[in-house]
Amino acid sequence: MTGEPFFVTTAISYPNGRPHIGHAYEAIATDWLARFARLDGRAVFFLTGTDEHGLKIAQAARARGLSPRAFVDEMSSLFRKMAEDLRISFDRFIRTTDPDHRVCAQALWQRMAANGDLYLGRYEGWYSVRDEAFWDEADTTLDADGVRRAPTGTEVTWTVEESWFFRLSRYQERLLDLYDRHPEFVQPAFRLNEMRAFVERGLKDLSVSRTSFDWGIPVPGAPGHVMYVWVDALANYLTPTRFWTGEGGWPWPAQLHVIGKDVMRFHAVYWPAFLMSAGLPLPRRVFGHGFILNRGEKMSKSAGNVVEPSELVQAFGLDAVRHFLLRAIPFGQDGEWSPEAIAARANAELANDLGNLAQRVLSMIVRTCGGRMPSARPATPEDEALAARARALLPACRSAHEAVRPDLALEAIWDMVAATNLYLTRQAPWTVRRTDPARAEAILWRAADALRRVGLLLQASIPDTAARLLDQLAVPAGARGFAGFDTPVPTGTPVPEPRPLFPRLELPA
RNA sequence: GGCGGGGUAGCUCAGCCGGUGAGAGCGCAGGAUUCAUAACCCUGAGGUCGCGGGUUCGAUUCCCGCCCCCGCUACCA
């Protein structure tokens, strides 16, 4: 049931700018997956990090008057800090400048070369000396003065550069076969269709080295060449496996790569082709999530709507942010975000539905049950109905986890919270206890146990709040894994005086 | 242009292979209640189900045309 190891990754971030809510979203969603799997007793390896090579980094560093190395040291630390602030439970924060990653990327390269898939060729295109970059012809303009210019306004000239190429064209059939045999490889499903359509149109070989800049991993045996993005960046997933030594690493393949929809092709086409070339197993799945739009608009510096994750956490608290992102947006779709939406969701669900439920149940237990966990007593049909729902919650959440849909898991959990509130209102233990104290205790026990299960499951999404809830329910630290899902808190266990679980938030002015 | 997906209550969306009075959550308005974080519970809100045709006893659900939106259509990650 729970034996399968779970190696899960985010994409690595390109730290030429500061982390934004999009980075936070991917990290939080993947963190939910990792925490859930750990709670479910699986061996988890959660990898995230930064992709630090390339021209843009070198340019950004120069603009700051820093060496590339000094620049990425600083920028990467911002991403790591973000992950820590968001309580992302990564097992390794990888940097593509890490020594073992360099070895890994070169080992991958050599495997691909050994398979005859890398050859020296020429990369040609419209090159801007000022930008140090090639531009698509479609992006350039031929101005009235007869000069062709890049979007940046700099002059471009047709330039030929020596480059290593990967024989991607060899892999068209094998990729299509992969999509046919393992349609779950690319998710959501509509992305698979896009990837298949892309591959069906025919694949050209891929330029995978550059000589025009040197901030990158050297190509083995090819002085002057550094790897150009794909082999370097994608190899990060392989680095913790130490596949090149055959020992000491986390077992490959990864179960899941969580990525943004913008890097779908690189993970669903190039990456499996690289691995096939290297004779390595493929990851089980690649899941492309959507973007978080600020009031319906993509964030950009020019629009002045860039929000840093730390600001959100400061304004609303970490769990309000985590809860909103996981709950409010169907994972895989784009979603909209606003301060009002975060606060409204937190108030309605964390404070009112959940927090108030905990408060009403626990305060009655403390006040009317002598501060000790009551006992179940014979169950009524209403009790059984609630219990059946509660038991079904773990399987439902497991399904949502398997489907990479935290939103569906949280929907099921909040249905349970609502059912428990309704149960409590209908059973009215505050009235029953005047005539039948034992029955009132049984009702409170039933509600408390539903809350306990909710609390266990919420550890994946809102770990701080969930921990407080479980503390208040007197759930022992050793009984908080899903293995204990059907194990109630023993009758008679002292229950502490409850404190409001989650405060109502005021809207920022 | 090609391929794919969409346009359903103020907002976000459910609505398998056509059929009793078109749903949920949020928001809003009433009510009830007081165990509880003015929370929980109940009720209502009267939406051309994008537009126009067609098939059918009957279509939001099938077919055709049109309008609009979105994704993919290779070297910025």
Side-chain angles (χ1 to χ4, degrees):
Chain A
M1 169 173 73
T2 59
E4 195 193 13
F6 191 62
F7 180 5
V8 64
T9 72
T10 68
I12 47 177
S13 304
Y14 201 64
N16 61 339
R18 302 173 64 86
H20 55 68
I21 193 171
H23 297 110
Y25 180 54
E26 183 169 308
I28 288 168
T30 309
D31 187 53
W32 177 80
L33 292 163
R35 285 178 185 266
F36 190 98
R38 280 192 208 98
L39 288 162
D40 214 6
R42 298 170 66 176
V44 172
F45 191 84
F46 175 8
L47 180 68
T48 189
T50 44
D51 173 19
E52 307 183 5
H53 293 305
L55 179 64
K56 287 194 173 183
I57 291 285
Q59 289 175 331
R62 192 182 313 153
R64 291 264 316 271
L66 296 173
S67 69
R69 180 72 215 193
F71 178 75
V72 294
D73 281 351
E74 176 186 325
M75 297 305 292
S76 179
S77 73
L78 296 179
F79 283 81
R80 183 171 178 124
K81 174 76 160 47
M82 179 197 78
E84 289 167 349
D85 289 348
L86 296 174
R87 293 202 55 182
I88 305 305
S89 61
F90 58 81
D91 293 293
R92 175 167 175 182
F93 188 95
I94 193 170
R95 300 179 55 185
T96 54
T97 50
D98 287 340
D100 64 336
H101 178 261
R102 167 186 291 232
V103 173
C104 177
Q106 291 180 331
L108 177 62
W109 180 286
Q110 284 170 322
R111 282 239 201 172
M112 292 161 67
N115 199 38
D117 286 328
L118 296 176
Y119 64 91
L120 195 56
R122 297 184 313 166
Y123 184 79
E124 26 188 351
W126 293 105
Y127 183 78
S128 161
V129 177
R130 286 270 305 282
D131 298 339
E132 294 181 31
F134 284 90
W135 293 94
D136 268 8
E137 178 155 318
D139 292 332
T140 64
T141 53
L142 188 54
D143 294 333
D145 55 7
V147 174
R148 186 171 288 276
R149 291 190 171 82
T152 54
T154 61
E155 181 173 351
V156 296
T157 52
W158 189 255
T159 305
V160 178
E161 179 184 3
E162 188 183 76
S163 171
W164 286 88
F165 281 80
F166 171 67
R167 293 190 198 278
L168 183 63
S169 56
R170 272 188 179 172
Y171 290 88
Q172 179 169 1
E173 289 310 315
R174 291 181 65 181
L175 287 167
L176 292 174
D177 189 56
L178 167 67
Y179 304 149
D180 287 340
R181 289 174 186 273
H182 296 285
E184 77 287 355
F185 178 71
V186 183
Q187 295 184 354
F190 68 91
R191 297 290 175 199
L192 175 66
N193 296 333
E194 293 177 356
M195 293 302 107
R196 178 184 279 122
F198 175 80
V199 174
E200 282 174 344
R201 277 188 210 98
L203 295 172
K204 294 189 291 191
D205 289 347
L206 200 62
S207 168
V208 290
S209 80
R210 284 291 184 275
T211 57
S212 53
F213 60 89
D214 63 4
W215 178 239
I217 295 177
V219 171
H225 285 262
V226 294
M227 295 182 195
Y228 182 60
V229 301
W230 315 126
V231 179
D232 177 355
L234 290 165
N236 95 83
Y237 303 129
L238 231 31
T239 299
T241 71
R242 303 185 62 76
F243 78 92
W244 61 94
T245 69
E247 60 183 15
W250 188 270
W252 182 256
Q255 268 61 49
L256 177 63
H257 294 313
V258 177
I259 61 172
K261 63 181 183 181
D262 53 333
V263 288
M264 211 68 237
R265 189 199 312 141
F266 314 126
H267 287 77
V269 181
Y270 301 172
W271 183 225
F274 290 174
L275 290 167
M276 288 172 184
S277 174
L280 293 166
L282 307 185
R284 299 282 181 250
R285 285 187 292 171
V286 171
F287 192 107
H289 66 251
F291 289 155
I292 306 303
L293 308 176
N294 188 342
R295 296 183 197 281
E297 294 181 3
K298 192 166 181 176
M299 286 185 295
S300 70
K301 287 174 185 168
S302 57
N305 62 355
V306 176
V307 173
E308 300 216 6
S310 61
E311 296 175 38
L312 287 181
V313 171
Q314 191 160 14
F316 303 106
L318 176 57
D319 280 350
V321 174
R322 288 180 59 114
H323 183 254
F324 176 83
L325 292 174
L326 294 173
R327 163 80 159 120
I329 302 158
F331 201 63
Q333 311 267 267
D334 287 350
E336 285 192 36
W337 160 88
S338 71
E340 294 80 3
I342 292 179
R345 186 68 75 165
N347 283 341
E349 298 186 339
L350 297 178
N352 296 353
D353 294 343
L354 177 65
N356 183 54
L357 172 62
Q359 189 69 18
R360 63 201 299 220
V361 170
L362 288 164
S363 69
M364 278 202 79
I365 287 177
V366 166
R367 196 153 33 72
T368 72
C369 304
R372 291 176 180 277
M373 189 59 70
S375 62
R377 303 302 166 86
T380 65
E382 291 79 11
D383 294 357
E384 260 315 312
L386 189 76
R389 283 190 79 135
R391 282 193 298 270
L393 202 51
L394 178 57
C397 288
R398 280 201 182 112
S399 296
H401 184 266
E402 175 61 23
V404 195
R405 290 293 300 275
D407 56 299
L408 294 182
L410 292 175
E411 182 178 27
I413 292 169
W414 255 266
D415 284 348
M416 185 69 224
V417 170
T420 307
N421 265 319
L422 186 55
Y423 167 84
L424 207 59
T425 296
R426 295 240 169 102
Q427 299 306 312
W430 48 89
T431 301
V432 171
R433 68 181 278 258
R434 295 176 198 146
T435 54
D436 187 353
R439 172 61 191 155
E441 290 200 3
I443 294 164
L444 292 171
W445 178 88
R446 193 68 59 179
D449 196 61
L451 266 173
R452 181 186 61 83
R453 296 173 197 257
V454 164
L456 292 180
L457 291 165
L458 288 178
Q459 292 176 100
S461 57
I462 47 173
D464 293 339
T465 301
R468 288 200 305 278
L469 175 58
L470 295 173
D471 287 346
Q472 297 198 13
L473 287 163
V475 178
R480 297 186 178 187
F482 296 163
F485 193 70
D486 291 320
T487 306
V489 173
T491 295
T493 302
V495 175
E497 180 79 24
R499 316 297 310 169
L501 188 63
F502 197 94
R504 289 180 59 81
L505 300 175
E506 296 303 322
L507 271 178

